[in-house]
Amino acid sequence: HMNAEKIIKLNKQALYSSIKNPDISGKFFNKSILHNAVIMEIFIHNSKGISYEKLCLNIPKLLGSRSSVQNLLNEGLDKKLLKKVESKIDKRIKNFHLSEEMSDMIIDWVNYQKKIFNGKF
């Protein structure tokens, strides 16, 4: 078993390198805890997508206001890291999905977390 200090050091290195990395998806994901939360919420619902209203319900208010979530979504759309798609069930609802690049970055991040916690370094 790896000790907590080593796990924290590896996570810290991963966070710092993702911010320095020119890869826009990693920078966006790690920009704030709210960015982190929104991307994880969208990833979990990526097959069907998730609406703005559902995102606002799922994300604790302490992480960010509705307007902060809206601004973040607009930023993600501008950077082509998120996609907005009309709901097949209700055309008034727009669902958010991750771009392929963002989705791939999250899968890489998950695999890296697995390595850290399984002590495979």
Side-chain angles (χ1 to χ4, degrees):
H1 276 56
M2 254 199 296
N3 67 23
E5 192 177 310
K6 188 166 183 186
I7 289 172
I8 296 294
K9 280 182 182 173
L10 288 167
N11 262 308
K12 186 182 72 160
Q13 285 169 355
L15 173 63
Y16 294 174
S17 68
S18 75
I19 293 167
K20 287 181 201 148
N21 190 328
D23 173 35
I24 191 167
S25 55
K27 274 190 173 122
F28 187 77
F29 180 62
N30 288 308
K31 193 170 180 180
S32 73
I33 294 173
L34 182 60
H35 282 73
N36 216 270
V38 168
I39 296 303
M40 287 192 282
E41 284 290 343
I42 297 172
F43 184 85
I44 290 167
H45 299 92
N46 211 30
S47 59
K48 289 185 185 125
I50 185 170
S51 70
Y52 166 69
E53 289 301 328
K54 186 128 194 244
L55 274 169
C56 289
L57 282 173
N58 289 359
I59 293 170
K61 302 280 176 272
L62 281 172
L63 294 185
S65 66
R66 290 175 61 88
S67 63
S68 296
V69 172
Q70 184 68 66
N71 291 338
L72 186 157
L73 293 170
N74 288 336
E75 179 189 1
L77 290 167
D78 289 346
K79 292 181 176 179
K80 308 259 186 284
L81 298 172
L82 302 177
K83 296 182 278 188
K84 188 161 58 166
V85 180
E86 195 175 81
S87 167
K88 290 172 178 70
I89 300 150
D90 184 341
K91 299 204 179 303
R92 295 169 298 173
I93 297 171
K94 307 288 186 266
N95 287 319
F96 290 88
H97 299 265
L98 300 181
S99 69
E100 201 170 318
E101 176 192 355
M102 192 79 221
S103 197
D104 289 348
M105 195 280 318
I106 296 298
I107 290 166
D108 290 347
W109 175 76
V110 168
N111 289 332
Y112 189 79
Q113 295 297 312
K114 281 187 205 167
K115 281 184 190 171
I116 289 174
F117 289 103
N118 290 330
K120 300 280 192 260
F121 276 94

